[in-house]
Amino acid sequence: MSEAHGFVLHPLAAQDITDIWESLAEQNPPAASRVREAILNAIRALVPFPHQGHRRSDLTSRPLRFTVVRDYLIAYAPDEHPLLVVAVLHGRATPALWPQFLGQGTRH
């Protein structure tokens, strides 16, 4: 996504969204498209009010916020301009694995 939308997707967050779409599209392509659009609409809604999400100090010490859309947790940096989306994770993913996606090294 371009900065013209008021946000940018970290390359791994963009891959998260692609992976979600591909996984769902195997069974139901229209549903996959609806989920992808719901995720992108939720991100767009964060742009004017980036601090509306909640913090998760149990997942990361980084100054990230989180919001939920359907079964997915969107992690983003509210103080970045444009808004930076760092990850889109399935809510049923093992919480112990989330810090590796949100913390040290890969998504800065």
Side-chain angles (χ1 to χ4, degrees), residues 10 12 56-64 66 75-76 84 86-87 89 95-108:
H10 184 282
L12 294 174
R56 293 288 306 262
S57 59
D58 59 319
L59 298 179
T60 183
S61 61
R62 293 177 62 198
L64 299 178
F66 298 83
Y76 65 97
L84 173 64
V86 298
L89 306 170
L97 297 177
W98 290 353
Q100 76 185 33
F101 295 115
L102 303 173
Q104 298 60 17
T106 59
R107 295 185 188 227
H108 290 276

Side-chain angles (χ1 to χ4, degrees), residues 70-85:
R70 297 193 183 212
D71 292 333
Y72 301 94
L73 186 66
I74 300 168
Y76 65 97
D79 296 322
E80 295 291 326
H81 300 283
L83 186 87
L84 173 64
V85 178

